Amino acid sequence: MKMTRILTPLALAVSATLGTQQVLAGPSGYEPVGPPKLYHAGTAVVRLGGSYVDPDNTNASLRNPDIFPEFVVDGRRGFDFDLDSEWSWQFSAMFMPFDHFSVEYMYVGESSHDTDIRVDNFVNDGFRRNFRLNDLDRTTNVLTVNWFPVCPESWVQPYVGIGTHYTDFDSVRVREPVNEALAVVGDAVGPARLSVGSSWGWVGQVGIDILFGRDSNWLVNASAIYLDMDLTADLDYAVRGLTNDDEERLFYNSVRTKFDPDPWLWNIGIGYKF
């Protein structure tokens, strides 16, 4: 009799608890009813769009000024580069191994930047202050880890990221007015070349994905990426000289400078979520 008195209230309590859990669990009986997660672990996104490459700083400092005194005036060393901003295209692929975090690879396609150079000493020799060198072709690869701070159910997903980049420039022949100036100032013979080295550096970015509705996999993306970029540029030209045996031959001078363009990438495009 005592056992019945104990078990009956216990059975009623267990039954009531199970019933309450069924109600709270929703129609499936396993999880609460709510909007589905849109950005969660296992989500992948590809994006394609345009990219505006905007150098932030183009000042340069001449190395070894004692070897090239013709490019130093009043103690001021060397070159000022002026890299024009330019449009390009970009593609990125992103994967989320965990909720709120993703790994992203971006490729920014080739863009040709008009490049001017200013060498003060050319002014003293009766030449123009600014010279148009040529177009420099650039490509950039970016790898970042991004953080998405809002809830995975949101169809508007802002993010911030940090990572690294590899940027490559092609070498080009300079234009004829520069060759003429080098012939007077530096006894140059024949065409000169401008070579800009490749660069590794860190990047930071902010961006946002906006889905075209909660039930759509298509989205629009916008982002801004800052690239820390340290470049070395060589202006190479040939000069005539004598060997130890008093034979005339061509030697090559390389006027080397270092500059930090630190460009911004302003991106806009569309994407698809898997």
Side-chain angles (χ1 to χ4, degrees):
M1 188 67 173
K2 292 182 179 180
M3 185 64 65
T4 303
R5 290 179 180 177
I6 295 174
L7 291 179
T8 299
L10 180 62
L12 292 174
V14 171
S15 177
T17 302
L18 291 176
T20 302
Q21 289 180 346
Q22 290 289 334
V23 171
L24 294 176
S28 65
Y30 294 100
E31 59 183 18
V33 177
K37 291 184 177 181
L38 301 178
Y39 271 52
H40 55 86
T43 297
V45 176
V46 294
R47 309 183 186 98
L48 180 66
S51 183
Y52 188 65
V53 185
D54 185 20
D56 187 50
N57 177 37
T58 55
N59 291 327
S61 178
L62 174 65
R63 295 185 180 181
N64 300 322
D66 295 335
I67 299 177
F68 299 99
E70 61 270 24
F71 297 107
V72 180
V73 178
D74 298 330
R76 186 181 184 279
R77 298 180 180 182
F79 301 124
D80 281 340
F81 281 96
D82 184 12
L83 299 179
D84 288 348
S85 302
E86 190 59 61
W87 278 97
S88 181
W89 62 275
Q90 51 87 11
F91 167 81
S92 70
M94 181 196 84
F95 178 74
M96 302 185 74
F98 312 103
D99 286 0
H100 299 288
F101 291 94
S102 76
V103 178
E104 179 185 5
Y105 167 76
M106 176 180 291
Y107 177 78
V108 185
E110 184 176 277
S111 59
S112 295
H113 296 264
D114 291 342
T115 309
D116 298 331
I117 190 172
R118 183 179 67 193
V119 183
D120 284 348
N121 203 19
F122 284 0
V123 180
N124 294 344
D125 287 276
F127 290 96
R128 294 175 301 168
R129 185 178 180 85
N130 295 312
F131 292 82
R132 171 81 181 279
L133 288 176
N134 214 321
D135 294 341
L136 276 176
D137 294 334
R138 175 223 47 83
T139 57
T140 299
N141 297 269
V142 179
L143 184 65
T144 58
V145 175
N146 303 319
W147 174 52
F148 292 77
V150 303
C151 64
E153 294 83 8
S154 176
W155 57 277
V156 178
Q157 290 285 336
Y159 59 91
V160 295
I162 191 169
T164 186
H165 77 90
Y166 174 76
T167 298
D168 183 58
F169 287 87
D170 291 338
S171 61
V172 294
R173 287 189 177 185
V174 302
R175 295 178 180 269
E176 192 56 31
V178 182
N179 290 323
E180 294 172 357
L182 288 172
V184 174
V185 176
D187 297 323
V189 178
R193 293 190 69 87
L194 175 67
S195 301
V196 178
S198 302
S199 173
W200 286 92
W202 65 270
V203 304
Q205 77 162 331
V206 293
I208 188 169
D209 285 341
I210 303 176
L211 292 168
F212 293 135
R214 188 173 297 279
D215 297 326
S216 175
N217 288 334
W218 290 96
L219 58 95
V220 62
N221 170 265
S223 66
I225 303 178
Y226 177 81
L227 283 70
D228 176 65
M229 189 178 295
D230 300 325
L231 298 176
T232 299
D234 293 325
L235 185 62
D236 303 317
Y237 59 93
V239 296
R240 287 192 175 93
L242 297 177
T243 66
N244 293 333
D245 299 327
D246 292 331
E247 294 181 2
E248 186 178 273
R249 53 161 291 188
L250 290 179
F251 296 87
Y252 286 90
N253 287 342
S254 181
V255 185
R256 178 164 292 184
T257 62
K258 182 179 180 180
F259 67 111
D260 309 323
D262 296 337
W264 284 89
L265 303 180
W266 307 98
N267 302 319
I268 187 72
I270 60 172
Y272 190 84
K273 179 178 71 73
F274 296 90

